[in-house]
Amino acid sequence: MQHDYFQLLIKSAQQGRKNAFVDLCELNAKKVYTLCVRMLGNERLAHEISIQIFLQAWENIKFVRADSSFEIWLKGIAIYTILEEIRTGNKGNEIEISPEDPLPVSENPIENKILSLPRTERIVFIMYQIEGYTFQEIADFLYDHSVEEIKSILRESRRKITGELKNEL
């Protein structure tokens, strides 16, 4: 049922109906923003990048296939956009984001531990543990890391998260 609704919205958006695309955005905005906050570690930057992701999605909506998942397609755009921002810092420089900006704070202690990980560890952890990407897919996104390096980074991030949580108990 929900799949049919998404397909109807996608088809309408592909025909140029902006309201259908707005509905797709509203159904996915929280997921995209949360992914941005987690990977970027900055709420203002996450807001700006989320907007950029949805603008790119609108420009490319015609490429969504009827047999594919809009959510997975959108997540791919999000990951590429976030990683490009991390590589270049373009949007962060535009809105004067500094590395000293405080990390977002969550009521969830595990979320806070994830956000406090060094950038690469945080990205690998999120992509593997939360978003469900394989080691090879992560290595493809992070082209300067091998699958073995990705596995090592994940082990280190898990160790930090579980070790810090044990120390708090």
Side-chain angles (χ1 to χ4, degrees):
M1 181 71 137
Q2 185 179 12
H3 176 74
D4 292 339
Y5 180 61
F6 268 93
Q7 291 306 316
L8 177 66
L9 289 175
I10 292 165
K11 188 172 183 168
S12 295
Q14 288 173 328
Q15 294 171 349
R17 294 190 180 100
K18 292 178 183 170
N19 288 343
F21 185 74
V22 169
D23 288 347
L24 286 168
C25 292
E26 288 175 357
L27 292 168
N28 290 281
K30 184 175 180 179
K31 292 174 192 170
V32 168
Y33 176 75
T34 300
L35 178 62
C36 289
V37 168
R38 285 177 174 156
M39 290 186 68
L40 296 166
N42 184 290
E43 292 172 325
R44 285 189 313 143
L45 183 55
H47 176 77
E48 292 296 320
I49 296 300
S50 294
I51 292 168
Q52 188 176 334
I53 289 164
F54 284 110
L55 289 172
Q56 287 178 18
W58 172 248
E59 291 171 5
N60 293 290
I61 190 72
K62 62 188 170 279
F63 298 114
V64 178
R65 296 188 338 247
D67 62 338
S68 67
S69 162
F70 178 79
E71 189 174 323
I72 291 171
W73 177 80
L74 183 61
K75 187 167 55 168
I77 291 173
I79 295 289
Y80 277 112
T81 304
I82 291 165
L83 292 177
E84 184 63 21
E85 175 59 29
I86 289 169
R87 283 185 197 102
T88 65
N90 289 341
K91 190 61 79 173
N93 290 334
E94 266 179 43
I95 59 174
E96 297 181 20
I97 298 297
S98 117
E100 291 80 37
D101 283 352
L103 289 172
V105 178
S106 170
E107 293 178 16
N108 181 331
I110 296 173
E111 184 81 17
N112 289 328
K113 297 300 178 198
I114 293 168
L115 288 168
S116 69
L117 289 170
R119 179 181 285 160
T120 302
E121 289 178 25
R122 184 175 65 237
I123 290 168
V124 169
F125 185 88
I126 291 165
M127 289 181 74
Y128 185 82
Q129 293 294 148
I130 298 173
E131 297 300 325
Y133 285 94
T134 66
F135 292 120
Q136 184 59 58
E137 290 169 330
I138 297 168
D140 291 345
F141 277 112
L142 304 176
Y143 52 84
D144 53 343
H145 292 80
S146 69
V147 169
E148 289 308 311
E149 289 173 316
I150 298 296
K151 289 178 181 179
S152 176
I153 291 167
L154 180 64
R155 280 191 299 275
E156 181 63 17
S157 63
R158 285 176 175 163
R159 186 191 63 73
K160 286 179 179 177
I161 290 171
T162 57
E164 290 176 11
L165 288 174
K166 287 178 187 174
N167 292 338
E168 289 181 8
L169 297 176

